[in-house]
Amino acid sequence: MYCPFCRNPDSRVVDSRIADDGSAIRRRRQCPECGRRFTTVETTSLTVIKRSGVGEPFSRSKVINGVRKACQGRPVTEDDLAMLAQEVEETIRAAGAAEIEAHEVGLAILNPLQRLDEVAYLRFASVYQAFESLEDFESAIALLRHEAETKGLEGQGLDGKPVQKSPL
């Protein structure tokens, strides 16, 4: 690490702290040559491999934008989306791989989105699980109902709040 002031190729770490929700380390350094201090931030790189084979850095904002479309018209806040994106990133990083396929990122979104909003989950799942017919939707809805019944949440959303029945 070169000192940004005198370009000395050496520095010593004075202090280290976790930053950005645990996804980075902030290090305070001091140059032994000029004595000045500076800060560095270390992060691990996580590359998403797209269908075309091109890799790009993982982006929480891309997760949020993709989920936001599925949540359009639903009672989901920006804070909810930010928490979902953080959970998705933590899940992916916990797998320990430096590279992950874009499709796997979409699949990692499904569980937290299901807990957040069932309708948004169905919208999103219809794309990532390649629903091709009404039967695909019906089986996904039946699975959601079964999970709700086994959890004793009949008549409630996954967040435990009562779900209003549609007159249709």
Side-chain angles (χ1 to χ4, degrees):
M1 171 63 44
Y2 286 96
C3 172
F5 305 106
C6 70
R7 304 298 297 157
N8 183 40
D10 193 21
S11 66
R12 73 179 182 92
V13 176
V14 177
D15 182 41
S16 293
R17 296 181 184 209
I18 295 174
D20 294 334
D21 302 322
S23 64
I25 297 176
R26 179 188 162 276
R27 298 196 191 279
R28 194 76 178 128
R29 297 177 177 269
Q30 185 171 14
C31 175
E33 188 69 30
C34 69
R36 295 178 78 178
R37 291 184 175 197
F38 57 97
T39 302
T40 59
V41 178
E42 298 177 18
T43 61
T44 57
S45 63
L46 179 59
T47 304
V48 177
I49 307 299
K50 299 175 91 171
R51 278 183 262 185
S52 64
V54 175
E56 65 179 43
F58 176 84
S59 168
R60 283 188 190 181
S61 62
K62 284 196 170 192
V63 170
I64 291 170
N65 288 337
V67 173
R68 184 180 288 127
K69 292 172 188 170
C71 293
Q72 199 166 13
R74 303 296 305 156
V76 176
T77 66
E78 287 298 314
D79 287 343
D80 293 335
L81 294 177
M83 293 296 291
L84 182 137
Q86 179 180 340
E87 184 178 343
V88 168
E89 182 175 4
E90 288 171 358
T91 300
I92 291 170
R93 287 190 184 278
E99 293 183 343
I100 187 166
E101 292 187 22
H103 184 73
E104 294 297 320
V105 174
L107 293 176
I109 291 170
L110 291 174
N111 281 337
L113 185 56
Q114 181 180 356
R115 289 190 307 273
L116 180 64
D117 188 276
E118 292 174 323
V119 173
Y121 164 79
L122 283 172
R123 290 174 180 170
F124 197 85
S126 69
V127 173
Y128 275 89
Q129 294 178 339
F131 288 10
E132 294 180 2
S133 67
L134 289 176
E135 288 79 22
D136 293 337
F137 279 97
E138 289 170 346
S139 63
I141 291 169
L143 182 61
L144 286 173
R145 283 190 178 132
H146 176 71
E147 288 175 3
E149 288 171 4
T150 58
K151 291 179 182 178
L153 298 174
E154 184 64 32
Q156 297 178 0
L158 294 175
D159 58 1
K161 296 177 184 172
V163 175
Q164 294 180 344
K165 299 284 183 179
S166 172
L168 299 178

